[in-house]
Amino acid sequence: MGIKTVGLDADDTLWHNEKIFREAEQYFVQLLGRCADNEIIERTLFSTIARNLGLYGYGFKSFTLSMIETASHLYNKVIPSSKMREIISLGQSLMDKPVNLIDGVVEGLEALRKNYRLLLISKGDLVEQNRKVEKSGLKSYFDGIEIVSHKDKPVYEELLKRNRVDGNEFVMVGNSLKSDILPALEAGAYAVYIPYDITWVHEMAEEPYDNARYFKVDKFADLPEFLKMIDHKG
Ligand SMILES: [Mg+2]
């Protein structure tokens, strides 16, 4: 294969992220518990987030704005000030959460950097994602950090061009079929899917089984050996 550069997604590939949102959603449902049924609160929050994605992008700030909008809707536009304060502090508490690395990531990056140039390619809010990179302690493993607002074919093409990387020499690794795998394959790269225990519904897609450049490993710890094997660097 001749892989020279490995692109690594960050959220739920290098560190746990989705769980923070799932917990926050549960907490939000409890907070608003008296103004509607749990299911209605969940459904309203979900559709508000979906509607706002194009407007605000991904991340804690966008999530907080959607919680406020949901509460405003469910409280008939008059959110009690105590609830408003709780929603805002819930949102802020998300930004203070520690970054918990996924098992095997440090050892995996240690092994990968011996053979490859490593790029961290993360989607989301610039300030939030940079803060997580700093907190993770993983920055020094990477030759480049790319924070993008979304991940599609043109974004990967531009990114490869800017980093002077040929698609034939690049593999993208991540937990999202929709963001990390399918568009990277479309841009002519290889892709390795590492599923995470929870997948946000907006990141779901079919596995591209028929694409010869598509691979899947069960966990991050297996990635270095797997790449060595398919790349004949054994
Ligand atoms: Mg991810």
Side-chain angles (χ1 to χ4, degrees):
M1 274 165 68
I3 295 293
K4 289 185 180 156
T5 304
V6 179
L8 292 142
D9 168 55
D11 289 343
D12 298 319
T13 297
L14 301 178
W15 54 70
H16 298 280
N17 178 66
E18 195 56 30
K19 283 177 181 156
I20 297 175
F21 284 97
R22 292 293 84 82
E23 284 166 14
E25 274 169 22
Q26 292 312 310
Y27 189 76
F28 178 73
V29 169
Q30 280 174 27
L31 260 182
L32 264 60
R34 289 202 173 176
C35 75
D37 286 346
N38 287 3
E39 204 197 317
I40 292 175
I41 303 170
E42 271 173 27
R43 213 178 328 128
T44 311
L45 177 62
F46 178 79
S47 59
T48 308
I49 290 170
R51 197 173 56 246
N52 286 339
L53 266 187
L55 206 56
Y56 304 144
Y58 300 84
F60 298 136
K61 274 185 259 181
S62 144
F63 182 74
T64 305
L65 287 170
S66 290
M67 285 196 292
I68 294 170
E69 191 179 327
T70 302
S72 161
H73 176 74
L74 294 172
Y75 277 111
N76 265 331
K77 300 195 168 61
V78 190
I79 309 175
S81 58
S82 61
K83 291 288 172 196
M84 188 63 172
R85 276 197 302 275
E86 285 187 86
I87 295 168
I88 290 172
S89 48
L90 168 59
Q92 288 174 344
S93 74
L94 301 179
M95 298 178 206
D96 283 336
K97 293 266 183 205
V99 170
N100 293 317
L101 300 183
I102 286 173
D103 286 346
V105 159
V106 172
E107 300 81 349
L109 292 177
E110 198 70 64
L112 288 172
R113 75 167 165 189
K114 290 179 188 149
N115 290 324
Y116 306 103
R117 189 169 159 242
L118 303 182
L119 293 180
L120 185 144
I121 304 170
S122 178
K123 172 183 78 175
D125 180 86
L126 186 60
V127 176
E128 286 177 18
Q129 295 309 93
N130 273 326
R131 191 186 297 133
K132 285 194 266 186
V133 172
E134 289 293 343
K135 278 191 193 172
S136 73
L138 299 176
K139 201 173 178 180
S140 63
Y141 288 101
F142 293 93
D143 299 283
I145 309 275
E146 297 278 350
I147 313 287
V148 294
S149 64
H150 61 285
K151 289 171 171 172
D152 59 10
K153 183 186 174 195
V155 165
Y156 281 103
E157 283 173 340
E158 202 276 323
L159 206 143
L160 291 177
K161 201 169 148 194
R162 187 156 26 86
N163 286 281
R164 296 196 177 87
V165 182
D166 188 309
N168 292 310
E169 299 174 344
F170 177 74
V171 62
M172 181 64 198
V173 177
N175 72 300
S176 167
L177 288 162
K178 195 175 159 194
S179 297
D180 304 316
I181 307 303
L182 299 178
L185 291 171
E186 281 174 38
Y190 292 86
V192 177
Y193 173 46
I194 310 180
Y196 185 72
D197 358 341
I198 351 169
T199 303
W200 190 31
V201 84
H202 293 288
E203 298 294 344
M204 285 176 183
E206 288 289 317
E207 281 186 61
Y209 293 112
D210 54 351
N211 192 316
R213 292 187 170 214
Y214 169 67
F215 303 94
K216 181 179 181 177
V217 298
D218 291 336
K219 50 186 197 295
F220 196 92
D222 297 340
L223 182 68
E225 278 305 308
F226 182 79
L227 284 183
K228 243 193 221 179
M229 184 185 75
I230 58 172
D231 201 24
H232 310 296
K233 277 206 171 86

